[in-house]
Amino acid sequence: MGYGNWLSVKAWGDFACFTRPEFGAERVSYEVMTPSAARGILEAIFWKPEFTWQVREIWVLKPIRRFSILRNEITTWQSERSAQGWSKEGVGGFFAEDDRAQRHTLCLRDVAYVIWADINLKPHATDPVAKYRDQFRRRVAQGQCHHQPYLGTREFTAYFSEPDGTEQPIDLSDELGLMLQDVGFVEDAAGAIHYLTHDGQGSRIVKGNAQPKFFRARLEHGVLRIPG
């Protein structure tokens, strides 16, 4: 396995926030894009139920610059179950104006990355992986996407294109600490959540649990390598 079998896309934007999970109320961004955020960009461009994305490397192309903002956010969690109850009973409701608070966010400014990733076929896939790779390359070249990609939060739009071959990672090495790699979903009849899954039987809602996976992240001369 090597770069020859991997797919790449360049993504950039004016602002980004890849929130560290250890900061619950005030948002603080990781120094670089996380693998889960990179997967989100890839899936926004191209996704099929027959495969999953595996992010291999993230190249940081611009110096890391931070800035802070204050944003209006609500202070309580809202659930679909509560909304269904209000609708059924005809009473209750949520008024954001009564539940709003200003929260501090430490973001990134003027970011650009090259994402390297590969496609892992699921057992029920019937087409060769080369087909999906070609589809992804065509969509990137034509600027097509299922929805607009974003850089950590939906307010921060991501733009994308094919790398032109001149991109070089910045010369910076640093320990970034534990980083969220991705969230896996495991089917369990006694699980705490419901989620949509896809297999040879088609798509269906199942019960299960979400399991976050972390890794010790290190930026090596501007390159973040993600374990398999």
Side-chain angles (χ1 to χ4, degrees):
M1 188 65 70
Y3 286 116
N5 293 321
W6 295 353
L7 298 165
S8 63
V9 61
K10 181 178 178 180
W12 69 93
D14 296 329
F15 310 109
C17 183
F18 309 109
T19 305
R20 302 187 74 108
E22 61 265 43
F23 295 92
E26 310 292 333
R27 298 174 189 271
V28 176
S29 177
Y30 282 107
E31 292 84 349
V32 303
M33 175 186 284
T34 61
S36 57
R39 179 179 55 76
I41 290 176
L42 295 168
E43 290 183 347
I45 297 170
F46 183 54
W47 178 85
K48 291 281 187 182
E50 291 84 5
F51 69 80
T52 58
W53 284 105
Q54 183 170 359
V55 179
R56 302 286 190 171
E57 289 186 2
I58 298 173
W59 290 9
V60 181
L61 303 181
K62 291 189 174 182
I64 297 170
R65 300 170 58 196
R66 300 178 179 85
F67 78 107
S68 63
I69 57 174
L70 285 173
R71 299 193 299 178
N72 289 328
E73 299 184 5
I74 58 175
T75 59
T76 57
W77 291 98
Q78 303 304 312
S79 71
E80 182 182 0
R81 179 179 299 178
S82 297
Q84 290 174 341
W86 300 332
S87 175
K88 183 178 180 180
E89 298 172 7
V91 295
F94 175 73
F95 301 96
E97 291 78 3
D98 298 335
D99 193 33
R100 220 164 36 190
Q102 284 199 323
R103 295 272 173 76
H104 180 265
T105 301
L106 186 61
C107 311
L108 304 175
R109 180 195 297 275
D110 190 21
V111 299
Y113 308 96
V114 171
I115 302 167
W116 292 91
D118 201 5
I119 287 175
N120 289 334
L121 293 180
K122 291 184 177 179
H124 67 278
T126 56
D127 294 316
V129 66
K131 172 186 173 181
Y132 300 115
R133 288 176 178 149
D134 289 343
Q135 285 181 294
F136 175 77
R137 293 188 185 101
R138 285 198 298 272
R139 290 180 69 84
V140 172
Q142 297 169 7
Q144 295 178 310
C145 55
H146 298 302
H147 60 82
Q148 185 66 46
Y150 53 90
L151 295 161
T153 66
R154 289 190 180 273
E155 301 98 310
F156 299 155
T157 299
Y159 309 98
F160 66 93
S161 71
E162 296 175 297
D164 60 16
T166 64
E167 293 84 4
Q168 292 295 323
I170 60 174
D171 188 16
L172 176 66
S173 299
D174 196 6
E175 297 289 345
L176 305 179
L178 285 179
M179 178 177 284
L180 177 66
Q181 181 170 349
D182 217 330
V183 178
F185 292 90
V186 179
E187 193 170 338
D188 183 351
I193 61 172
H194 290 86
Y195 63 95
L196 183 66
T197 187
H198 306 270
D199 54 25
Q201 309 299 318
S203 61
R204 56 193 173 94
I205 301 291
V206 298
K207 203 169 183 182
N209 294 308
Q211 296 182 346
K213 182 180 179 182
F214 293 86
F215 72 108
R216 190 161 294 282
R218 174 174 171 76
L219 193 67
E220 189 73 32
H221 299 292
V223 177
L224 177 66
R225 294 182 174 85
I226 295 92

